[in-house]
Amino acid sequence: MPDTAALLPGTLDMLILKAISLKPLHGYGVLLRIRQISRNALDIPQGSLYPALYRLEHQRLIVAEWGESENKRKAKYYNLTAAGRRRLREEEASWNRLASAIAAALSTTPKEV
Amino acid sequence: MLNRVRSFLEAVLRRKRFEATMSDEIRFHIDTYIEDLVATGVSRSEAERRARLEFGGLESVKEECRASRRLNVADGLRRDIRHACRTFIKNPSFSVIVLLTLGLGIGSTIAIFTVVYGVLLKPLPFPDPERLAQIWGSVPSRKIATTSFTEANFWDMRDLNSTFEEFGALHGASFTLTGLEAPERVTGALVSVGFFRSLGAKPIVGRLFNPGEDDPGATAERALLSHSFWMSRFGGDPAVIGRPITLSGRSSEIIGVLPPGTPWLDAANVFVPFVRRLDADRESWEYTVIGRIKPGITFDAARTDLERVAKDLESQYLTNKGLGVAMTSTASWGPSDQIRRALWTLLVAVGLLLAIACVNVTNLLLTYASSRRQENAMRIALGATRGDIARHRITESLILSFVGAGLGWPVSMALLYTFKSMESVGIPRLSEAQVNGWVFAFAFVAAILVGLLTGAVPALQSPFKNILSAVQQGTRGRLGIPSQDRMRRMLVGVEVALSLILLVGAGLLVRSLTNVLAVERGFQTEGRLHAMVSIPSAYSDERRTQIATDILSQLEKQPDVLSVSTVSMRPLGRGSTGMGIAAAGIDISDADVPWASWRIVSKDYFKTLGLTLLEGRGFTEQDIIGKPFRVVISKRLATRLWGSESPIGRTALLWKGQTQRPGEVIGVVSDMRERGLENDPTFAVYLPAYGNLDSPTLDLAMHVRGTPELFTPTLRSIVNSIDPSLPVSSVRTLEEMVYASVGSRRFIMILIVTFAALALLLSLAGVYGVVQYSLSRRTAEIGLRMALGARSGAVLRLVISQGLRPIWIGIVTGLVACFGCRSL
């Protein structure tokens, strides 16, 4: 895959929450959705997706429900809980703070010092 | 947090579903991916290959998912438990010894805790006990802090106080119960309406006495039954309500049954109303008074209120001169301080026993651990962490301690049953002690603690050094680890020290009991028997006197009877009758008047009990009580009143400060400890029984040839031949009475001696285990020494001196600890 970026530690949970917040998804759907919304820039390793989903479910940030997939098969759909929504907002805010701080730091030119 | 626990438990309890869901989900993922790849034109076999490759190791992903739910912890635990159980089953002798040791230790501890809880800690069976109080009279001028109430004083206090919700009195009595089986004597009590209402007791069936049922003129022919009496005589039949019961010839209606419990609720078998008389007695102090303070009123405010009433009464009645009032809380209803201390001591003793059991088990586990050194080394080499090994050890010891506690449960039940079936232990509420939630919680905590303590040493000792050599040596290398050896010797030392403390404590208790039993009692117990005959109060005075005289003379004629007499109150009992006594003509302040116990006895009482007449004469049938008063006094009292001068022929003032009757001293007898072996000999005044033989209870003291118990049938048949309706009750040998009077002491002593013996046995086993183990490991070394020319004697000396070293250390430590405790 061209132009993919390595995932920063700790950002996987945030991305999963974001993906699910748009629309309830099954595990494979989460994978596709992240790829889609990052414009194919982020590709998460398939093996680490499920442990992360189970961890989020354990923390009651997401809940699972059986539903029918596009290809008419039974699939486990994840949905955000109120706690999950809250967590996503917090993570987004802190990520944006961090990102703008780093961007500001990196855009500093010698003259500005 | 709660969410996570729920999610964890859900996964553990529905493990199959969890696994199936997880597999389905991953299956769906891979299948869908394959289809998507095929749709983009990849061949199916290539798509399958890529899907699997990109997904990664299926099992490791699943394991990570399980870890997300903390299932790995549960799995690890389950694995540890299964492994531990397997190893224990494979080493039956080891497991059996450990489990027996723990079962014994934990079981005895549970039993003693059950007793301590039931006797000392369990709340009283009454609601709001902080509002309950016992009320006493007091005579500050004579240093009498608490005394019973008089009849009139009780009613006055009840009417005039303004701080009590309920106020009640109890007076002990006994009845002859007829109409059920053979006539028998049962304990009874007169209670005013307020008595059980103060306690807040709720009847099991029927009702309590209602207000007004003790007013003047009310019928006294109603009866409440105690729970135990109801169970034993009526089989717990609720239909007893309304049935008549014949008490001392009077038919009373059963109106209710009390709940079980101590105190008061079991103070008697049958309770009848204490009906107010208009001419209530003002001089006889015989009533036990309790009250329930109104809500919101403090204890001190209630006391102030009663003191005010006492002042009023004092100014109103001459007989109340100097009479104050005192109040005690329900704390005084529990066991005596002596029993309290004794039970806590017992708990400490059994704790020591449990500690010794733990040390033994720790030692066994250490031995066991070192024999598994190679296995551990292999585990470490394969990646087990120090934590894994320690957790494994702790799991093992926890399993052992819980199974041990499970085995201890029947042990504790058996012990408890033994305690309850032991006779005359004299510990209140012991019979009610039973397992409850607190005992269960205690057992649970004890099992956890034992598991952690016994597992801690082996867990921390996990061998992390020289793993390689351990793996290579295998079972051949038996050199062990020096630090472990030190630890094991130290543990043996601890064990010896602990059991020494227990042994010394047991020895002290045995000595103090033998001291008490060996004390000069003043009376003889050999061949002495006491019995009580009840003569109906419906009989005329002449008829009762005739019966008493007949019984005495018939008994005297028996060849086996050496002497027989009556006594108004048998020795070593709970109650006593007392009087102030002074020498006539000598001025003495009220506070200095000695308090003497008095007994009304027939002529042969002194001979029957083995007292010696020191001076003057004893009673004859011509000495009629009160006409005039003639008394025999004890040696101590004679010395107290007249010093070294002879008291014979002198006049004593009897009931000094009360009725104050002059009486001539006709004799002096030797002293005796009639209030119990642990009390000083009493000041005693004896009055002749003649003129007083019409009492409805005839307490007989007999001195018979041979075994006193064997005389009981003869006694019964003699009484029966005189009048078959007379119940003979309370037949006991004086020896039994002596033992009963030291019952709680004996109970504690027997238990501590048993615990000390068990402790000794356990430490012996511990010492043996350590010596045997170190010897078995040193076989090669000893062989080498012998081969190099060491004599067997020298080797033996070496082994013994090394084996003895921890014991010496233990003995010294234990003795130091004993000396330290002695000052407590």
Side-chain angles (χ1 to χ4, degrees):
Chain A
M1 300 233 174
D3 301 330
T4 53
L7 225 47
L8 279 172
T11 51
L12 177 60
D13 287 7
M14 180 171 69
L15 285 171
I16 292 175
L17 289 175
K18 178 68 193 174
I20 292 173
S21 79
L22 301 170
K23 187 187 164 202
L25 290 169
H26 50 69
Y28 184 62
V30 172
L31 200 72
L32 298 181
R33 179 57 48 84
I34 291 176
R35 207 178 281 165
Q36 178 212 346
I37 59 180
S38 67
R39 294 175 195 88
N40 283 335
L42 294 174
D43 196 15
I44 54 177
Q46 298 184 23
S48 57
L49 174 68
Y50 285 93
L53 281 171
Y54 275 67
R55 191 165 57 241
L56 292 171
E57 194 187 359
H58 188 63
Q59 297 167 2
R60 287 278 147 149
L61 298 176
I62 57 176
V63 285
E65 214 177 13
W66 287 101
E68 199 174 74
S69 71
E70 310 80 51
N71 56 2
K72 303 281 178 242
R73 277 185 60 170
K74 218 161 63 107
K76 219 169 129 193
Y77 277 86
Y78 292 96
N79 205 345
L80 227 54
T81 65
R85 221 168 289 284
R86 211 162 36 240
R87 169 69 65 86
L88 177 61
R89 269 201 303 278
E90 286 163 18
E91 301 239 331
E92 272 176 33
S94 84
W95 173 261
N96 286 336
R97 265 199 309 279
L98 181 70
S100 57
I102 290 178
L106 292 181
S107 62
T108 313
T109 57
K111 283 181 194 151
E112 289 174 63
V113 178
Chain B
M1 185 65 212
L2 213 68
N3 283 332
R4 294 180 195 197
V5 173
R6 200 166 58 194
S7 138
F8 169 73
L9 286 179
E10 231 171 64
V12 171
L13 298 176
R14 300 190 171 163
R15 187 61 189 272
K16 273 218 182 84
R17 213 170 95 181
F18 175 85
E19 292 287 335
T21 307
M22 185 166 64
S23 298
D24 281 357
E25 192 175 12
I26 292 171
R27 189 74 247 153
F28 169 80
H29 178 112
I30 292 172
D31 287 352
T32 317
Y33 189 36
I34 291 170
E35 274 166 38
D36 283 0
L37 285 176
V38 170
T40 58
V42 183
S43 76
R44 181 157 283 274
S45 62
E46 172 62 11
E48 276 173 13
R49 199 187 64 85
R50 269 174 58 187
R52 280 187 207 294
L53 206 65
E54 284 180 40
F55 194 84
L58 202 60
E59 270 316 308
S60 76
V61 169
K62 281 186 176 177
E63 194 54 41
E64 272 183 73
C65 286
R66 290 183 194 117
S68 296
R69 286 288 172 89
R70 300 274 172 275
L71 272 176
N72 54 337
V73 178
D75 287 347
L77 196 66
R78 195 186 315 209
R79 224 173 10 247
D80 278 355
I81 291 176
R82 204 177 306 146
H83 183 219
C85 289
R86 250 200 318 266
T87 35
F88 292 147
I89 291 168
K90 264 196 284 178
N91 294 279
S93 60
F94 164 81
S95 315
V96 165
I97 290 173
V98 167
L99 290 179
L100 282 183
T101 310
L102 286 177
L104 211 61
I106 298 180
S108 336
T109 314
I110 294 175
I112 297 300
F113 179 78
T114 311
V115 171
V116 166
Y117 181 82
V119 175
L120 300 183
L121 304 178
K122 195 172 73 179
L124 290 170
F126 312 121
D128 302 332
E130 67 286 346
R131 278 167 55 210
L132 286 172
Q134 186 164 0
I135 299 112
W136 310 80
S138 71
V139 192
S141 67
R142 281 163 70 176
K143 293 179 190 148
I144 298 174
T146 55
T147 171
S148 311
F149 258 70
T150 68
E151 192 181 346
N153 264 342
F154 160 68
W155 295 113
D156 290 343
M157 276 274 175
R158 189 194 72 156
D159 294 345
L160 299 174
N161 85 76
S162 57
T163 45
F164 282 82
E165 198 172 271
E166 294 283 355
F167 211 68
L170 173 143
H171 184 281
S174 61
F175 303 113
T176 302
L177 177 72
T178 46
L180 284 181
E181 287 151 29
E184 67 172 317
R185 200 73 189 160
V186 297
T187 58
L190 295 115
V191 288
S192 76
V193 166
F195 195 82
F196 290 123
R197 297 175 71 89
S198 295
L199 295 176
K202 298 264 172 291
I204 289 191
V205 287
R207 60 177 181 90
L208 302 178
F209 297 131
N210 283 336
E213 288 187 334
D214 56 3
D215 283 349
T219 173
E221 280 148 17
R222 295 191 174 100
L224 286 173
L225 306 183
S226 78
H227 184 261
S228 62
F229 187 69
W230 179 56
M231 293 304 286
S232 65
R233 298 310 142 84
F234 297 99
D237 178 10
V240 291
I241 304 302
R243 289 229 306 248
I245 182 172
T246 309
L247 300 169
S248 300
R250 300 206 318 190
S251 172
S252 303
E253 180 194 346
I254 299 175
I255 62 160
V257 177
L258 293 168
T262 308
W264 308 124
L265 298 170
D266 60 351
N269 290 321
V270 184
F271 297 87
V272 298
F274 161 40
V275 178
R276 186 171 194 170
R277 299 186 301 172
L278 290 172
D279 56 341
D281 184 272
R282 295 208 160 267
E283 293 184 42
S284 181
W285 300 347
E286 294 170 339
Y287 290 82
T288 304
V289 176
I290 62 169
R292 178 171 286 270
I293 303 169
K294 284 180 184 165
I297 306 253
T298 63
F299 201 80
D300 286 333
R303 193 200 329 258
T304 316
D305 180 43
L306 291 183
E307 278 163 358
R308 169 188 62 83
V309 178
K311 279 249 158 51
D312 285 356
L313 293 175
E314 198 178 349
S315 60
Q316 215 172 336
Y317 300 102
L318 257 179
T319 44
N320 279 46
K321 199 171 160 290
L323 192 60
V325 69
M327 256 168 71
T328 50
S329 74
T330 50
S332 60
W333 295 356
S336 67
D337 280 351
Q338 193 195 346
I339 289 177
R340 214 171 270 276
R341 234 183 354 254
L343 285 182
W344 286 119
T345 312
L346 210 51
L347 194 61
V348 171
V350 81
L352 285 178
L353 178 67
L354 182 59
I356 291 168
C358 284
V359 171
N360 245 5
V361 170
T362 305
N363 241 334
L364 283 168
L365 285 172
L366 269 181
T367 311
Y368 188 54
S370 53
S371 73
R372 279 163 54 185
R373 213 174 144 234
Q374 195 202 3
E375 175 198 327
N376 281 327
M378 190 59 86
R379 290 168 64 124
I380 293 162
L382 289 177
T385 61
R386 195 181 180 110
D388 288 333
I389 301 274
R391 197 191 62 216
H392 192 75
R393 289 272 171 282
I394 298 278
T395 312
E396 280 178 353
S397 63
L398 277 175
I399 290 172
L400 287 174
S401 84
F402 270 92
V403 177
L407 284 179
W409 202 257
V411 172
S412 68
M413 292 302 106
L415 278 175
L416 219 59
Y417 179 78
T418 317
F419 298 164
K420 288 182 184 178
S421 55
M422 274 166 89
E423 260 175 60
S424 52
V425 166
I427 296 177
R429 300 216 278 174
L430 177 63
S431 58
E432 292 170 43
Q434 44 181 235
V435 171
N436 57 17
W438 287 106
V439 173
F440 207 78
F442 174 84
F444 189 78
V445 171
I448 289 185
L449 278 180
V450 165
L452 292 181
L453 287 177
T454 51
V457 175
L460 296 177
Q461 290 262 320
S462 290
F464 256 76
K465 294 173 215 149
N466 308 324
I467 296 165
L468 188 64
S469 74
V471 176
Q472 287 170 340
Q473 272 175 2
T475 45
R476 278 171 298 127
R478 286 202 154 232
L479 278 168
I481 303 135
S483 74
Q484 245 183 42
D485 269 11
R486 255 199 316 281
M487 179 55 85
R488 295 160 52 82
R489 284 209 209 98
M490 212 172 80
L491 287 174
V492 167
V494 168
E495 202 169 33
V496 170
L498 290 178
S499 39
L500 196 77
I501 294 175
L502 255 184
L503 278 175
V504 169
L508 287 176
L509 279 182
V510 171
R511 200 182 63 182
S512 77
L513 181 66
T514 47
N515 281 352
V516 166
L517 287 176
V519 82
E520 180 56 50
R521 304 165 185 189
F523 56 85
Q524 305 288 326
T525 55
E526 195 200 348
R528 265 68 174 191
L529 187 70
H530 277 256
M532 194 159 81
V533 181
S534 310
I535 308 171
S537 41
Y539 287 9
S540 67
D541 292 353
E542 292 74 31
R543 190 165 167 201
R544 282 200 301 270
T545 309
Q546 191 55 50
I547 289 173
T549 318
D550 286 353
I551 291 175
L552 283 175
S553 63
Q554 289 283 325
L555 283 171
E556 272 167 12
K557 278 187 215 145
Q558 292 296 314
D560 280 344
V561 174
L562 298 169
S563 80
V564 58
S565 70
T566 69
V567 56
S568 56
M569 189 169 273
R570 53 175 76 175
L572 302 169
R574 275 194 212 148
S576 82
T577 41
M579 64 158 86
I581 184 169
I586 299 171
D587 261 345
I588 182 166
S589 77
D590 271 358
D592 291 335
V593 170
W595 193 256
S597 71
W598 55 267
R599 297 271 196 286
I600 301 174
V601 301
S602 67
K603 60 182 177 2
D604 285 333
Y605 184 68
F606 308 127
K607 200 169 105 190
T608 311
L609 260 78
L611 303 184
T612 324
L613 190 65
L614 301 171
E615 244 185 296
R617 65 176 178 89
F619 296 122
T620 69
E621 281 158 28
Q622 279 67 51
D623 294 310
I624 308 296
I625 185 167
K627 292 176 179 176
F629 275 108
R630 295 198 186 96
V631 296
V632 172
I633 60 176
S634 67
K635 179 76 183 119
R636 274 187 76 214
L637 183 59
T639 313
R640 171 70 191 267
L641 293 180
W642 287 282
S644 54
E645 293 169 46
S646 166
I648 305 300
R650 290 183 192 263
T651 305
L653 295 175
L654 313 175
W655 290 282
K656 168 87 174 132
Q658 290 172 285
T659 50
Q660 200 144 316
R661 308 289 182 78
E664 183 198 348
V665 178
I666 60 166
V668 176
V669 286
S670 54
D671 294 311
M672 73 167 179
R673 295 178 196 263
E674 60 184 349
R675 301 195 63 174
L677 305 185
E678 292 168 66
N679 292 308
D680 283 339
T682 36
F683 292 133
V685 177
Y686 300 96
L687 299 149
Y690 306 103
N692 191 56
L693 284 172
D694 55 356
S695 148
T697 54
L698 185 68
D699 214 328
L700 295 167
M702 286 153 280
H703 180 197
V704 299
R705 241 185 277 277
T707 318
E709 286 94 333
L710 297 181
F711 186 69
T712 313
T714 321
L715 172 69
R716 285 189 192 278
S717 71
I718 287 172
V719 173
N720 201 43
S721 71
I722 291 169
D723 184 336
S725 71
L726 305 181
V728 177
S729 60
S730 315
V731 184
R732 298 184 81 180
T733 66
L734 196 50
E735 190 67 37
E736 278 170 356
M737 285 151 66
V738 167
Y739 270 102
S741 75
V742 293
S744 62
R745 214 179 235 282
R746 206 162 38 105
F747 174 75
I748 307 291
M749 186 207 78
I750 291 173
L751 288 190
I752 292 204
V753 168
T754 313
F755 292 155
L758 284 177
L760 190 65
L761 205 71
L762 286 183
S763 353
L764 279 180
V767 172
Y768 172 78
V770 167
V771 172
Q772 193 257 353
Y773 176 75
S774 70
L775 271 186
S776 75
R777 270 197 351 235
R778 290 171 64 183
T779 324
E781 179 203 327
I782 290 168
L784 198 62
R785 280 175 193 268
M786 303 276 274
L788 290 176
R791 296 225 190 89
S792 61
V795 171
L796 204 60
R797 257 201 306 283
L798 175 82
V799 167
I800 288 177
S801 73
Q802 286 191 351
L804 276 179
R805 201 177 309 142
I807 298 176
W808 286 125
I809 294 171
I811 288 175
V812 170
T813 326
L815 284 179
V816 169
C818 284
F819 273 102
C821 291
R822 208 180 53 157
S823 55
L824 291 180

